[in-house]
Amino acid sequence: MKLNLQDVERVSSISKEEFIAKYYKPQKPVIIENLTDSWNAKNKWSFEYIAEKVGDKIVPLYDNSPVDYSKKFNEPVAKMSFKDYIKLLKKEPTDLRIFLFNILKEVPELRDDFEFPEIGINFIKQMPMLFFGGQESRVFMHYDIDYSNLMHFHFHGEKECILFPPSETKYLYKIPYSLISREDIDFNNPNFEKWPNLAKAKGFKVHLNHGEAVYIPEGYWHHMFYKTAGFSMTLRAYPRNIKSLSIALYNIIYMRNFDNLMRKIQGQKWLEYKNNKAIKTIV
Ligand SMILES: O=C(O)CCC(=O)C(=O)O
């Protein structure tokens, strides 16, 4: 048995009008092949090039160890110089990932290598983020706290993403007061006996090659799997309407702080309570 996933539509190029009408308004994902064709990044962005620009800056690293109550939301597991991290990625498979690396802040000159695509949505110019992963590393199934529309570009290798619309949340064993589903689910090969609700979820699968982009609509769940070591850039655009904006504000202002407070007060008990609650969702 497998997850019920359909291939995301793929276009080589797209006009503003078509993007808005066929994908943004109905909130449907799409892979766009040529958005980076005119960028320097398409030819230049590789591990070697980025390592030369970022140099010995120390970067925070994440892995797939389960959430630990003694750590805050999004706290890294290790730190390393960027050059050493790239050496490691080139040498062997590793779980260690860079998550949310703010390019503009860290290395402003990389900004010259790409443009915000003109496809009818307003990108948040200060927030282009880079992500790096070793071969076969994965990012837990999650959705983004700010409920924005994402354009996710991939470089230096191949990546597979699984996406689910917000309508499928009820089948995904979401952890309360969090943005993730149960960390012990292997979305690449789920155990349906243990996680039967997953059989009802309808989602999408995406395969990205160097220079390709996938549009991930707001609130969409995403699970990333680096088939080869590589890196990606996400450009984000604000949520479309008041409803989505209020979910974003609830997540940022209330949910995150409440969760941090409960971790402090109740520690491991709080995490166990949340994990159990996620299992008990019966649909
Ligand atoms: O691909 C990754 O490493 C993470 C990307 C991601 O979660 C995002 O862009 O929101």
Side-chain angles (χ1 to χ4, degrees), residues 97-100 129-133 138-140 142-144 150-152 154 159 161 216 222-226 232-236:
R97 291 181 287 103
I98 296 181
F99 196 69
L100 295 172
M129 295 288 177
L130 285 184
F131 302 85
F132 293 76
R138 65 187 187 99
V139 183
F140 294 135
H142 71 283
Y143 59 95
D144 285 10
L150 311 176
M151 194 60 81
H152 184 77
H154 192 60
K159 184 179 211 178
C161 325
I216 305 178
H222 40 288
H223 173 275
M224 308 306 209
F225 177 71
Y226 289 83
S232 304
M233 176 173 70
T234 298
L235 303 181
R236 42 208 322 119

Side-chain angles (χ1 to χ4, degrees), residues 28-255:
K28 254 181 80 184
V30 60
I31 297 170
I32 311 174
E33 291 171 355
N34 82 339
L35 279 186
T36 59
D37 278 5
S38 61
W39 296 4
N40 285 336
K42 174 103 183 232
N43 298 323
K44 285 195 189 160
W45 280 16
S46 62
F47 283 159
E48 296 72 23
Y49 176 82
I50 306 276
E52 197 189 299
K53 300 280 177 199
V54 181
D56 288 321
K57 264 183 203 288
I58 302 295
V59 288
L61 299 170
Y62 298 85
D63 67 6
N64 290 335
S65 40
V67 176
D68 174 345
Y69 76 89
S70 61
K71 303 224 165 77
K72 277 193 158 168
F73 187 85
N74 274 353
E75 202 171 305
V77 289
K79 292 190 173 170
M80 202 185 272
S81 92
F82 187 79
K83 272 195 172 149
D84 286 344
Y85 176 63
I86 293 294
K87 268 191 211 147
L88 176 66
L89 288 187
K90 286 164 80 174
K91 191 165 140 238
E92 61 199 27
T94 170
D95 274 0
L96 291 174
R97 291 181 287 103
I98 296 181
F99 196 69
L100 295 172
F101 182 74
N102 188 329
I103 323 177
L104 261 196
K105 201 165 123 226
E106 304 291 341
V107 195
E109 61 193 285
L110 287 175
R111 176 66 193 84
D112 298 336
D113 292 342
F114 67 92
E115 284 143 35
F116 289 89
E118 302 211 340
I119 45 165
I121 56 177
N122 283 326
F123 288 104
I124 309 172
K125 300 287 189 295
Q126 303 80 351
M127 288 191 68
M129 295 288 177
L130 285 184
F131 302 85
F132 293 76
Q135 183 180 347
E136 293 184 9
S137 62
R138 65 187 187 99
V139 183
F140 294 135
M141 183 62 83
H142 71 283
Y143 59 95
D144 285 10
I145 193 161
D146 59 357
Y147 237 68
S148 39
N149 290 272
L150 311 176
M151 194 60 81
H152 184 77
F153 299 84
H154 192 60
F155 299 94
H156 198 107
E158 288 176 57
K159 184 179 211 178
E160 287 172 351
C161 325
I162 299 174
L163 310 179
F164 286 105
S167 60
E168 306 307 283
T169 300
K170 51 188 178 292
Y171 306 126
L172 298 178
Y173 301 95
K174 177 186 180 305
I175 309 281
Y177 302 102
S178 298
L179 306 158
I180 57 174
S181 62
R182 283 280 304 217
E183 295 154 282
D184 42 354
I185 299 176
D186 175 0
F187 275 90
N188 283 344
N189 187 19
N191 177 342
F192 288 97
E193 265 171 41
K194 197 162 170 205
W195 312 112
N197 296 345
L198 290 181
K200 298 188 188 145
K202 291 197 180 105
F204 297 93
K205 58 176 187 284
V206 177
H207 184 109
L208 292 178
N209 299 304
H210 176 87
E212 293 178 344
V214 58
Y215 166 60
I216 305 178
E218 56 205 49
Y220 259 59
W221 290 85
H222 40 288
H223 173 275
M224 308 306 209
F225 177 71
Y226 289 83
K227 249 190 124 173
T228 64
F231 64 99
S232 304
M233 176 173 70
T234 298
L235 303 181
R236 42 208 322 119
Y238 289 112
R240 291 157 313 145
N241 54 34
I242 295 286
K243 184 170 167 233
S244 297
L245 201 62
S246 37
I247 298 176
L249 291 176
Y250 165 86
N251 289 343
I252 295 167
I253 298 170
Y254 175 71
M255 189 205 74

